[in-house]
Amino acid sequence: DALMSAVMMIVQALLIAISFSPVVSAARTWSSGKAGISLNSTEFTIYEVSNDKGGWSTHFWLTGGNSSNIDNAIVSFYIDGELTHQFQPNMAAGTGWVDLQTPCQTGNCPEKNSNWGNAYIGKGSGMGGWYNDFKFPFRSSFLATIRSHFSTLPTGHANCSVIKDHDCWGDDLVQYPNTPSVEACCAKCQGQPGCAAYTYHPDGLCFLKAGCVDLSPSPGNFTGTLDTWKVFQGTDYPNPNTTVGTTTTPNVQSCAMFCEGNTRCQGFVFDNNTHSCVLQGSLVGGTVPSSPHMITGCRDCSPLEGDLSVFVLVRGIYDINSLVVNVGGVVVPPAARMVTQYNHGYLKPLDYFSLANVNSSNGLIIMSTLSVISGNANFMEGCFHFYTNGSEAFPGEIMATGTEDYYNSGYYFINAYPQHLPSTGFTFDVPFTTPVGPFKTGLMWSVYRLHIADPLAFETFGKLQWRNGDALLPGQGKCLAPGNTGTIVGSPTASYVRSFAMAYVW
């Protein structure tokens, strides 16, 4: 009886184990590699797969000849026919500001040539080698594309943008009297071979021109151009030594036209918030990452573009049931989908910022990158909060009582840079003393956190929130003072913040 009882217990244990084990189909790999492709503003297809049993994307890797281009390239994943994921390779690998063209002002910039990695993300070379091995499920089709982060800007061709109260002297091709409007003058230029610019006078005279090299104030007149520029959004060229002029224009097209009218101008920087237009006589050395409203433009972009060739790999597994994804002991069901979020914004001291904000029945936040430009390091006093359903009130679940605590470090990451641990990383820490966007001096900084060993689980709603600095309540400490209550810790400044997060939802 004792032997029979033992046998029955073993059989029951095996049946229970089998009943809770996922059914795994036979696996088969799909893969694609592209070598030396040249990036431009048009999406290039890396790989496309269609399968009635679905599958998983399991690996992405990218390198190339110019760090600015590969770091800032836009990668898109179309899952089951919809554009569901867009990311920059460095942000998806936990690093916010890596760029070999970023000025190293301290003489100690290990991120310039470092290589590092863990089982999920990393950088395998001093120039590129970004990889991301998180698993993206799909049910019928998967398409991966890549394009450059710059685009073309028609300064007059598409919308007849003009500069008011200015004239362009010389280079006349032909003139038309009795032209009813500046838009009609632009249309005539579009139809005239060799026309690159035009000037419109209120009396109806329309002058078509071969170019515009002498742009001068002229009350009442309008000048436009059909030249095409390339623009790099979210970048700045903060070099006062090469500035050849500064003005204010209503839009980026007008700023480009001012550059065209200045023979010394090779490019411009336009601030879409203040409408400041800075003309640059050189763009050698490259741009620096900045806020999204900063735009760098150039006619000859070779100093910025450098080597446009990239090398890229993507691969995965056929059949969505052929792979079991386990996150901290939680088996991700085949019905799950991946959600990626990119957030950014300017924060005042004590403003809150959401790294992830996911509405779903159930889910797990598995990874996030946080990148900050700030006037000093006191932003690191900020606490982390996690809200696991839509009705949870402040402060939610307190995840960390300081920014560095959340990343398994301490005391503002003292003596910790660069740090690359299995679950956390401190990937960028560069002080600057010449302007980066609107910041005259300060710190460029980025970190990552993987929630694989300790997944952030939620039901109906998941929000991971950080604060730009923090405040104390008497007798209660930090993280509990909402709004403008409490005593501010240190002197945090305004910050520009951007983040990237990944979550499974079902």
Side-chain angles (χ1 to χ4, degrees):
D1 289 344
L3 179 60
M4 182 61 69
S5 177
V7 170
M8 290 300 295
M9 290 178 63
I10 293 172
V11 170
Q12 287 178 346
L14 287 172
L15 289 173
I16 291 172
I18 292 170
S19 67
F20 282 95
S21 297
V23 178
V24 181
S25 305
R28 184 165 64 92
T29 293
W30 54 264
S31 183
S32 178
K34 304 296 183 182
I37 62 173
S38 183
L39 290 186
N40 55 50
S41 58
T42 301
E43 288 184 82
F44 179 89
T45 296
I46 306 169
Y47 192 70
E48 183 173 10
V49 58
S50 180
N51 188 329
D52 59 2
K53 293 184 178 180
W56 298 78
S57 167
T58 60
H59 176 68
F60 175 84
W61 168 91
L62 176 72
T63 195
N66 180 282
S67 179
S68 176
N69 289 318
I70 56 178
D71 291 359
N72 295 309
I74 306 298
V75 179
S76 299
F77 285 177
Y78 294 80
I79 304 292
D80 301 327
E82 296 184 6
L83 175 58
T84 53
H85 309 288
Q86 277 195 324
F87 59 88
Q88 292 173 305
N90 61 329
M91 286 289 283
T95 305
W97 308 112
V98 167
D99 179 349
L100 289 177
Q101 296 182 1
T102 300
C104 179
Q105 299 176 11
T106 64
N108 177 29
C109 297
E111 72 285 342
K112 295 288 185 182
N113 52 18
S114 64
N115 57 287
W116 56 272
N118 54 44
Y120 299 92
I121 58 174
K123 182 175 186 285
S125 171
M127 184 178 291
W130 299 111
Y131 68 87
N132 183 304
D133 283 356
F134 281 104
K135 312 300 186 286
F136 291 76
F138 62 92
R139 279 153 193 80
S140 60
S141 64
F142 173 85
L143 168 64
T145 69
I146 187 170
R147 64 176 175 85
S148 67
H149 70 298
F150 62 82
S151 58
T152 57
L153 171 74
T155 57
H157 211 100
N159 52 13
C160 291
S161 297
V162 296
I163 300 177
K164 187 178 180 181
D165 297 326
H166 280 76
D167 205 332
C168 202
W169 303 101
D171 295 317
D172 289 352
L173 294 174
V174 65
Q175 59 178 283
Y176 291 95
N178 304 317
T179 306
S181 66
V182 65
E183 290 81 9
C185 187
C186 174
K188 289 182 182 296
C189 186
Q190 291 172 345
Q192 174 71 39
C195 184
Y198 56 92
T199 294
Y200 178 74
H201 292 185
D203 60 5
L205 270 177
C206 172
F207 296 85
L208 306 187
K209 301 172 177 291
C212 179
V213 296
D214 187 4
L215 184 67
S216 304
S218 181
N221 295 329
F222 299 82
T223 291
T225 169
L226 302 187
D227 200 3
T228 298
W229 291 71
K230 288 182 178 178
V231 294
F232 297 76
Q233 188 167 2
T235 62
D236 194 358
Y237 188 76
N239 189 345
N241 296 325
T242 60
T243 299
V244 296
T246 302
T247 186
T248 300
T249 64
N251 51 44
V252 65
Q253 289 92 346
S254 299
C255 185
M257 289 168 57
F258 266 103
C259 188
E260 290 173 6
N262 187 317
T263 56
R264 295 186 298 157
C265 184
Q266 298 300 311
F268 62 87
V269 177
F270 179 73
D271 186 327
N272 211 26
N273 281 357
T274 66
H275 300 282
S276 168
C277 173
V278 179
L279 309 184
Q280 294 288 358
S282 171
L283 294 174
V284 174
T287 61
V288 298
S290 186
S291 53
H293 60 78
M294 301 298 292
I295 301 172
T296 301
C298 48
R299 186 185 291 107
D300 175 14
C301 296
S302 55
L304 299 183
E305 295 172 4
D307 185 353
L308 291 172
S309 61
V310 299
F311 302 78
V312 60
L313 298 173
V314 62
R315 63 175 169 262
I317 297 288
Y318 288 111
D319 194 338
I320 200 166
N321 292 310
S322 67
L323 189 67
V324 177
V325 175
N326 186 306
V327 180
V330 179
V331 175
V332 178
R337 59 189 176 89
M338 177 74 84
V339 171
T340 56
Q341 291 188 346
Y342 168 72
N343 296 317
H344 61 90
Y346 268 106
L347 306 183
K348 300 187 296 294
L350 301 189
D351 277 354
Y352 290 96
F353 178 84
S354 293
L355 282 77
N357 195 339
V358 184
N359 287 297
S360 182
S361 298
N362 296 283
L364 305 168
I365 296 174
I366 58 174
M367 177 266 186
S368 65
T369 299
L370 177 65
S371 306
V372 181
I373 302 178
S374 195
N376 61 44
N378 288 157
F379 65 86
M380 281 189 260
E381 294 293 342
C383 299
F384 277 85
H385 304 260
F386 185 49
Y387 298 88
T388 61
N389 60 67
S391 60
E392 194 169 7
F394 177 87
E397 310 298 326
I398 298 176
M399 304 298 292
T401 56
T403 302
E404 70 274 33
D405 308 358
Y406 185 69
Y407 298 96
N408 294 336
S409 190
Y411 300 101
Y412 285 23
F413 291 92
I414 187 170
N415 298 326
Y417 176 68
Q419 174 197 93
H420 297 289
L421 302 178
S423 294
T424 60
F426 183 21
T427 53
F428 208 88
D429 183 30
V430 177
F432 58 88
T433 56
T434 61
V436 174
F439 298 91
K440 294 182 179 179
T441 61
L443 182 68
M444 296 178 71
W445 178 97
S446 72
V447 286
Y448 67 81
R449 173 83 201 218
L450 306 184
H451 281 285
I452 304 301
D454 65 331
L456 298 187
F458 60 89
E459 53 184 20
T460 71
F461 176 81
K463 180 165 70 174
L464 180 60
Q465 194 174 65
W466 171 78
R467 199 176 194 187
N468 182 31
D470 225 297
L472 295 167
L473 282 181
Q476 299 185 56
K478 282 199 309 181
C479 311
L480 300 172
N484 294 319
T485 62
T487 303
I488 297 179
V489 182
S491 303
T493 71
S495 299
Y496 172 65
V497 182
R498 61 178 186 160
S499 68
F500 178 80
M502 305 175 71
Y504 287 117
V505 298
W506 60 90

